[in-house]
Amino acid sequence: MPSPVYFGSARQARLEAKESLPAKLDLIIEQLHLCDRVKNETVAIKMHTGNNVGYSTVHPVFVRKVVQAVKDGGGKPFVTDVNWDVRGAEERGYSMETLGCPVFPAAGPDEKYFYPHEHPFKNIQTWKMAGLIHDATFLINFAHVKGHPSCGFGAAFKNLALGGMVGETRGAMHDAMHFDPYWFAELCPDAFTRQRVAASCPHEAVVEDRDRPGEMHLHFEQCNQCGRCLQVAPPGSLKIDPVNFYAFQEACAISVKLVLATFAPDKTTHLSLATHMTPMCDCFGFTSMPILPDAGVFGSDDIVAIDRAVLDVTGCTRLIEENLPTSLEVHKREGHPFRWLHGPYKDPYLVTEYGAQLGLGSCEYELIDVLPVEQIERAPIGYIPAA
Ligand code: SF4
C-alpha cells in the first residue's frame, strides 16, 4: 500500500497568509496527528541549524510551529543538531526565545555522549549514535532540501543519517567512498604521468596523495564523473567507479536504520522544506543562489516515501542554470537536476532504494496536497483602444 505524503505547495493563488507555507505546515501537522502522538514524550526535533553565515536552513517560523504543536500535545520538545552547528545557532536565529524550546548538541558539547551500535559495513564496524537522540522517545526529523556534493541531494535521510551520529562516524561514512580501491599504482609508476592526471581535472578532484608516495587520492565530493582524467591515466590505473560513489548513500541508509530502530513504532515522523535549494549542503557555512524553484513543504511517517516525493516534485522543475556557480558544470542531463549537477553516479534516488531494501519504508506513495492551489478563472481581456 502506498504511504501517504502530505504536501503544501510553495505556490499561492491569493496573497494571503492562510495560503503561505507556514500555514500549510500547520495543515500537515494536523494530518500527521502530531499533537495526539506526543503526550509525555521527550521529543527530539532534529534539524540542521546551518553553519557560519548560512541562512537557507529551515526558518525559525516553521520550527516554532512544530515546537508549539508538540507543547500543545503535552510533549517535551528540544531542537537538536551536531555540536559545531549548535555552537553558533543563535547567530542564525535559533534560540530558546525564537523557537520556544532549548537547542541541544545531539551528542553533548564535545560529542562524548553516544551509544555504540555494531554493524559492519566497509570501513565501519561501530556506529556511534548521538546520545540525546537515542534517549528521546519521539523523533521529528525536520530537513531542509538542498544539493549535496557526495550524493547529489540532502533531505530526510541525510539529515538523520549524518546528524544522528557523532563526528567520528560521520567522517567514517564519508571515508566509505574510499574503501574499494580506485588507484592501481603499479599501472602508473611515473611521477610525470601522475601530475598529468591531476592536471587533467578541472575540479581538483584527483590529486597526488600527500601521505602515500605514488598513490592518487580522489576527492569524491568534487568529482562530477566527467571522465577527463581517464583519458590521461594509463589504462586500468584509475577507476571512476559507481561502487565508490554508492557507498556513501548505502552508509546513510544504514545509519538511518540504526537511528530509527531506537524508537518505538509510530514514534517517528519526517518533515522536509523544499525552498531555497542550493547546490551544496548547509554544512558549507554560507548560502548560495537557489538552483531549483521553491517546491513546498512535505510531511510523512515514511522516510523513504517523503524523500521520494520530494525528488519527484523537484525533479519536474527546471535547473536554474543562470544561478549555478561558474565553477560547476553540467555535462550530462539525465535524471534529477541534482544529478545533472553532481554527476551520473550521484543519483539522489539511490538512498531511497537502499532504504527500501532495508525495510525503512516504501518507494510507493500517495501525494496528498493539503491545500491545492486554486486556478483562478478570468474573463477574456477586452479591447482598449490606444489613447
Ligand atoms: S572524472 Fe572528472 S571530475 Fe572526476 S576526477 Fe576525473 S577529471 Fe576530475
Side-chain angles (χ1 to χ4, degrees):
M1 201 170 102
S3 297
V5 177
Y6 303 101
F7 167 62
S9 171
R11 191 144 192 226
Q12 297 178 236
R14 295 183 171 78
L15 293 169
E16 297 175 2
K18 66 183 181 192
E19 293 189 24
S20 66
L21 279 177
K24 290 176 183 177
L25 174 62
D26 278 337
L27 298 176
I28 290 173
I29 288 170
E30 273 176 44
Q31 292 289 336
L32 294 170
H33 302 289
L34 194 56
C35 291
D36 305 332
R37 296 164 63 187
V38 294
K39 191 168 178 53
N40 296 328
E41 306 286 5
T42 301
V43 181
I45 303 170
K46 169 67 188 78
M47 57 171 296
H48 198 318
T49 55
N51 197 271
N52 194 20
V53 293
Y55 56 84
S56 49
T57 46
V58 179
H59 192 283
V61 163
F62 294 94
V63 188
R64 188 156 188 128
K65 287 196 165 290
V66 177
V67 169
Q68 193 57 51
V70 172
K71 286 178 166 178
D72 291 347
K76 294 161 284 179
F78 67 95
V79 163
T80 192
D81 192 7
V82 302
N83 63 339
W84 65 317
D85 294 332
V86 166
R87 220 168 274 144
E90 74 282 357
E91 294 168 22
R92 294 179 294 280
Y94 305 107
S95 67
M96 178 81 191
E97 290 72 26
T98 57
L99 304 180
C101 75
V103 184
F104 293 143
D110 299 317
E111 296 216 306
K112 289 182 179 161
Y113 182 40
F114 60 82
Y115 291 81
H117 292 265
E118 300 303 314
H119 186 104
F121 173 70
K122 296 194 185 281
N123 55 318
I124 312 172
Q125 176 64 39
T126 305
W127 302 66
K128 297 183 176 176
M129 182 180 163
L132 289 192
I133 296 178
H134 196 287
D135 291 346
T137 57
F138 196 101
L139 174 70
I140 300 173
N141 176 26
F142 198 172
H144 170 237
V145 179
K146 62 265 168 179
H148 193 279
S150 298
C151 52
F153 126 112
F157 266 97
K158 171 70 182 33
N159 187 45
L160 204 53
L162 277 294
M165 295 287 158
V166 304
E168 179 188 327
T169 303
R170 294 195 299 275
M173 289 166 69
H174 287 90
D175 289 345
M177 299 176 92
H178 292 275
F179 181 79
D180 291 283
Y182 52 81
W183 175 252
F184 301 88
E186 68 280 7
L187 297 173
C188 183
D190 72 288
F192 178 68
T193 306
R194 288 197 298 276
Q195 283 167 12
R196 284 188 58 230
V197 172
S200 71
C201 179
H203 305 291
E204 297 174 11
V206 59
V207 295
E208 293 214 54
D209 196 303
R210 277 180 312 197
D211 305 322
R212 296 177 303 154
E215 299 287 330
M216 300 294 282
H217 182 92
L218 258 174
H219 293 300
F220 287 98
E221 292 78 12
Q222 287 147 246
C223 175
N224 68 1
Q225 311 106 66
C226 69
R228 292 179 179 96
C229 55
L230 298 177
Q231 294 170 1
V232 178
S237 61
L238 177 62
K239 275 194 196 170
I240 302 293
D241 195 309
V243 72
N244 299 96
F245 292 86
Y246 294 178
F248 181 73
Q249 303 219 51
E250 193 172 355
C252 285
I254 292 168
S255 176
V256 164
K257 183 179 168 73
L258 295 172
V259 173
L260 293 182
T262 65
F263 292 89
D266 198 40
K267 297 295 182 189
T268 58
T269 196
H270 312 278
L271 298 165
S272 290
L273 184 65
T275 58
H276 203 126
M277 289 172 273
T278 49
M280 302 298 177
C281 61
D282 299 323
C283 307
F284 271 60
F286 59 87
T287 289
S288 49
M289 294 171 82
I291 56 160
L292 292 173
D294 287 356
V297 60
F298 299 72
S300 179
D301 286 350
D302 183 329
I303 193 167
V304 176
I306 191 171
D307 264 5
R308 203 84 189 179
V310 165
L311 284 168
D312 288 347
V313 171
T314 55
C316 293
T317 54
R318 76 179 183 96
L319 185 69
I320 309 171
E321 294 196 48
E322 61 271 32
N323 283 2
L324 291 181
T326 53
S327 58
L328 297 180
E329 66 171 341
V330 172
H331 65 85
K332 219 170 202 151
R333 294 166 191 267
E334 281 174 10
H336 195 281
F338 281 138
R339 194 179 181 196
W340 299 10
L341 193 59
H342 294 291
Y345 297 161
K346 296 179 186 174
D347 181 353
Y349 280 96
L350 265 180
V351 74
T352 63
E353 285 160 19
Y354 284 124
Q357 284 165 21
L358 292 174
L360 299 179
S362 169
C363 292
E364 303 295 320
Y365 64 87
E366 181 189 2
L367 193 69
I368 301 164
D369 194 330
V370 292
L371 191 67
V373 181
E374 183 189 341
Q375 295 304 315
I376 296 180
E377 301 286 333
R378 296 181 182 87
I381 295 175
Y383 174 70
I384 300 174

